[in-house]
Amino acid sequence: MTWFNKQSRLVQVILLLIPGVNWITEIIVRWSTFFKKGGALRLIISLIVTFVGFFVGWIDVICVLITKHLLFQ
C-alpha cells in the first residue's frame, strides 16, 4: 500500500491503466490495506476487487486522477 501511494500520480495511473497489472495492483493494495487497518468495509472491497477487479480498476483510475488515492482506501 505505501509503495503505491509514494509513486507519482503518473506511475499510479499507468499501473491502473494496464489491465492485468491493474488487477494485480488493486489486489495487492486492497489486501495490504485491509491487513494493516482492518475493517468490514475494507474486507468487502478487497473481496470485490479480487473477483471483479477489472471493473473497479477503471473507477480507481478516475479516483487517482482526482484525489491521488484509491477509492475507499
Side-chain angles (χ1 to χ4, degrees), residues 14-26 53-54 57-58:
I14 289 171
L15 286 173
L16 292 173
L17 283 176
I18 303 170
V21 176
N22 173 345
W23 186 56
I24 293 168
T25 302
E26 286 276 348
F54 292 122
W58 292 110

Side-chain angles (χ1 to χ4, degrees), residues 14-51:
I14 289 171
L15 286 173
L16 292 173
L17 283 176
I18 303 170
V21 176
N22 173 345
W23 186 56
I24 293 168
T25 302
E26 286 276 348
I27 289 172
I28 291 170
V29 171
R30 297 296 181 172
W31 283 104
S32 65
T33 301
F34 169 71
F35 289 131
K36 185 177 273 188
K37 297 181 180 179
L41 180 62
R42 287 189 184 95
L43 175 62
I44 293 168
I45 296 298
S46 297
L47 290 170
I48 289 171
V49 166
T50 300
F51 295 110

